[in-house]
């Protein structure tokens, strides 16, 4: 198995010894994430049972999966035999007791603590004593979710990124109550599934969703203040920072409502720390059901025939946008390092493999110069007089 030790800052140090195999897997939730995780497990030879309280959703998801796999066959990404194998490995569960033979169950339902806890409490009545229960939550405390279980030591966070079949990163998050060797086993299993796992402490947002908050938050702030347009912010981050997508394009892809929900959770869990304060603009977008690609309209219009507006390019403005957002991101990465959220390698890996950042943020800070990052944040703090722009104590030491 893996050896998992902790250093003085509670970082996890992982050494791979051998893979941990679980061949019977249950998935709760047949949304995009649920069916995506099911595909990953089935592709790797697992027998998968997928359940959703909405039976029609399971049917819709499995039909959609077959169409996705057919496209992969057409593109010669997989063989028709492999497609048939994947589909044969997936069965529909009509009730939770159908998971009785599962060795691992991963929950991927709505980001609501009460609803998740209710499902876990009921699930425990139907599974074996040795069954591992995991949550794909992106921001809710693993400790708080597992605390209600009769056997909280079997509970762990297993956070995939969307789309699960394509995105390599998986955050493995043990709680304060998780059995010590379980993180080792899940880390090994994810490796066996071809994923890039990292070990994260159970803090709000874990690694990626904590560090990435300013990418969206500062972009929203810049637009709210009419400093730049949505198109200009996205273009600045892509042309100067070489990001594959700007913050608004990415929010539309993730779902404006989903992104807003994660931001609210991180903000609440950090006792309303101003650094993570949600955006009023994003709240209004969510209320208006302008959720992005899935509703065909978000910060951009995705309806048929819609024409995307071209940004008015401004080199000076673009540089200001980039430095403001990248400085906030690097500051968060440095603070995560200081707090031992993960080791340096996993912090860098998580942001590159989880949200496709072009570089690791700690390395990027060295490249730009930590003194320059510190100066940018100090200028923002003096302008706004907000704790939002406070610097990590470690950032000043790195100057």
């Amino acid at each position: 198995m893996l050896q998992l030790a902790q250093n003085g800052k509670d970082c996890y140090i992982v050494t791979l010894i051998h893979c941990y195999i679980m061949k019977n897997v249950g998935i709760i939730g047949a949304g995009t994430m649920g069916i995506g995780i099911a595909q990953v497990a089935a592709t790797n030879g697992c027998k998968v049972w997928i359940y959703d309280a909405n039976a029609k959703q399971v049917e819709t998801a499995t039909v959609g999966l077959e169409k996705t796999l057919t496209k992969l066959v057409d593109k010669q990404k997989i063989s028709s035999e492999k497609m048939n194998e994947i589909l044969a490995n997936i069965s529909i569960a009509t009730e939770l007791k159908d998971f009785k033979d599962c060795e691992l169950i991963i929950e991927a339902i709505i980001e609501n603590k009460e609803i998740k806890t209710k499902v876990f409490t009921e699930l425990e009545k139907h599974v074996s004593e040795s069954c591992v229960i995991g949550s794909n939550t992106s921001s809710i405390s693993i400790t708080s979710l597992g605390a209600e279980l009769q056997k909280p030591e079997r509970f762990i966070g297993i956070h995939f990124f969307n789309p699960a079949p394509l995105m390599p990163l998986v955050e493995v998050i043990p709680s304060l109550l998780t059995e010590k060797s379980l993180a080792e086993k899940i880390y090994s299993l994810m490796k066996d599934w071809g994923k890039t796992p990292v070990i994260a402490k159970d803090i709000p947002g874990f690694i990626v969703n904590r560090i990435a908050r300013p990418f969206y938050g500062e972009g929203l702030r810049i637009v709210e203040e009419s400093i730049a347009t949505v198109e200009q912010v996205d273009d600045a981050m892509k042309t100067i920072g070489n990001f594959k997508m700007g913050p608004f394009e990415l929010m539309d892809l993730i779902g404006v409502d989903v992104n807003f929900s994660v931001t609210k959770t991180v903000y609440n869990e950090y006792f309303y720390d101003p650094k993570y304060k949600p955006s009023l603009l994003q709240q209004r977008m969510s209320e208006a059901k302008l959720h992005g690609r899935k509703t065909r309209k978000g910060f951009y219009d995705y309806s048929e025939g819609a024409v995307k507006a071209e940004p008015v390019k401004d080199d000076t403005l673009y540089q200001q946008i980039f430095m403001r957002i990248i400085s906030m991101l690097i500051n968060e990465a440095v603070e995560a390092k200081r707090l031992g959220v993960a080791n340096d390698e996993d912090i860098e890996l998580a942001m590159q493999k989880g949200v496709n950042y072009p570089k690791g943020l700690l390395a990027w800070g060295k490249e730009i110069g930590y003194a320059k990052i510190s100066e940018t944040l100090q200028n923002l703090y003096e302008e706004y007089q907000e704790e939002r722009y406070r610097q990590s104590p470690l950032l000043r030491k790195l100057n």
Side-chain angles (χ1 to χ4, degrees):
M1 62 177 67
L2 293 168
Q3 287 183 331
L4 189 66
Q6 289 181 290
N7 66 14
K9 287 188 175 181
D10 290 336
C11 290
Y12 290 93
I13 303 169
V14 184
T15 306
L16 186 62
I17 300 175
H18 72 70
C19 290
Y20 183 74
I21 299 172
M22 293 175 171
K23 286 298 184 184
N24 297 301
V25 178
I27 305 294
I28 302 177
T32 302
M33 285 304 301
I35 197 65
I37 298 169
Q39 180 184 337
V40 172
T43 300
N44 286 280
C46 295
K47 296 297 182 183
V48 181
W49 286 262
I50 185 164
Y51 168 81
D52 196 292
N54 181 351
K56 288 185 178 180
Q57 178 59 38
V58 184
E59 294 177 12
T60 300
T62 51
V63 169
L65 174 59
E66 186 169 359
K67 290 179 179 178
T68 297
L69 294 174
T70 299
K71 289 179 181 178
L72 292 178
V73 172
D74 292 341
K75 294 177 181 178
Q76 298 185 329
K77 299 288 185 181
I78 62 172
S79 67
S80 57
E81 290 79 12
K82 185 63 176 179
M83 180 185 83
N84 292 333
E85 177 190 321
I86 294 168
L87 293 173
N89 280 339
I90 297 177
S91 301
I92 295 175
T94 57
E95 48 192 336
L96 291 178
K97 70 179 182 181
D98 291 341
F99 290 142
K100 59 184 174 59
D101 295 324
C102 290
E103 298 149 321
L104 170 66
I105 296 169
I106 301 174
E107 164 273 317
I109 62 174
I110 187 171
E111 281 289 274
N112 180 289
K113 179 183 174 183
E114 289 70 30
I115 294 174
K116 289 179 187 288
T117 300
K118 184 177 179 180
V119 170
F120 295 140
T121 302
E122 178 63 25
L123 181 65
E124 269 198 311
K125 299 175 184 177
H126 306 290
V127 298
S128 69
E129 290 287 309
S130 60
C131 179
V132 174
I133 300 175
S135 175
N136 185 62
T137 180
S138 57
S139 56
I140 300 173
S141 164
I142 302 302
T143 300
S144 67
L145 286 174
E148 300 300 320
L149 273 65
Q150 293 180 5
K151 288 176 62 66
E153 64 272 17
R154 63 151 108 203
F155 188 76
I156 192 165
I158 309 174
H159 180 218
F160 290 77
F161 288 76
N162 192 28
L166 298 179
M167 298 301 289
L169 187 74
V170 177
E171 292 177 322
V172 178
I173 312 107
S175 80
L176 295 178
L177 303 171
T178 302
E179 194 268 319
K180 295 298 181 184
S181 68
L182 184 55
E184 312 169 5
K185 296 171 182 177
I186 298 302
Y187 183 101
S188 180
L189 179 67
M190 293 301 107
K191 279 275 190 180
D192 196 38
W193 285 5
K195 292 300 183 181
T196 303
V198 293
I199 304 292
K201 284 177 70 174
D202 183 20
I203 64 164
F206 315 129
I207 303 174
V208 173
N209 277 317
R210 174 201 163 103
I211 294 175
R213 300 282 31 99
F215 189 66
Y216 317 107
E218 271 320 283
L220 285 159
R221 173 69 74 93
I222 289 166
V223 170
E224 284 177 327
E225 295 180 0
S226 299
I227 294 171
T229 65
V230 163
E231 292 82 6
Q232 286 176 317
V233 172
D234 280 350
D235 197 37
M237 298 310 292
K238 290 189 292 184
T239 56
I240 298 180
N242 202 30
F243 284 86
K244 291 183 178 179
M245 301 180 78
F248 295 96
E249 291 172 318
L250 188 51
M251 280 187 280
D252 275 358
L253 178 63
I254 295 168
V256 175
D257 56 329
V258 173
N259 188 271
F260 181 52
S261 177
V262 172
T263 299
K264 286 193 296 181
T265 298
V266 172
Y267 181 58
N268 294 340
E269 291 288 321
Y270 272 114
F271 306 108
Y272 310 106
D273 187 331
K275 283 203 301 180
Y276 309 109
K277 185 178 179 181
S279 158
L280 185 59
L281 171 59
Q282 198 174 30
Q283 177 172 311
R284 292 291 177 263
M285 295 282 289
S286 297
E287 291 168 344
K289 294 183 170 49
L290 298 172
H291 295 164
R293 289 180 181 269
K294 62 186 177 183
T295 59
R296 304 181 70 85
K297 188 170 288 188
F299 291 104
Y300 294 97
D301 189 345
Y302 301 94
S303 56
E304 189 174 350
V307 178
K308 188 175 179 179
E310 288 297 319
V312 177
K313 295 184 181 292
D314 182 324
D315 291 344
T316 301
L317 175 62
Y318 276 23
Q319 188 65 39
Q320 290 172 349
I321 292 168
F322 170 73
M323 279 304 300
R324 179 167 171 171
I325 294 175
I326 201 67
S327 295
M328 294 286 282
L329 287 170
I330 290 169
N331 187 52
E332 279 300 310
V334 170
E335 181 67 354
K337 170 185 171 72
R338 184 181 78 87
L339 296 175
V341 173
N343 60 45
D344 287 11
E345 181 182 356
D346 280 359
I347 288 173
E348 299 290 71
L349 199 60
M351 302 313 293
Q352 291 175 281
K353 299 295 186 180
V355 277
N356 279 325
Y357 282 12
K359 301 176 187 177
L361 292 170
L362 298 175
W364 214 337
K366 291 179 183 178
E367 181 182 310
I368 294 173
Y370 284 118
K372 180 65 174 176
I373 301 300
S374 179
E375 179 187 357
T376 300
L377 292 172
Q378 185 61 32
N379 290 339
L380 286 167
Y381 181 80
E382 289 175 2
E383 178 178 354
Y384 289 97
Q385 295 294 298
E386 288 186 45
E387 280 295 298
R388 176 188 187 91
Y389 300 106
R390 72 178 185 273
Q391 298 178 46
S392 168
L394 180 58
L395 181 64
R396 293 182 179 276
K397 293 178 181 177
L398 293 173
N399 286 349

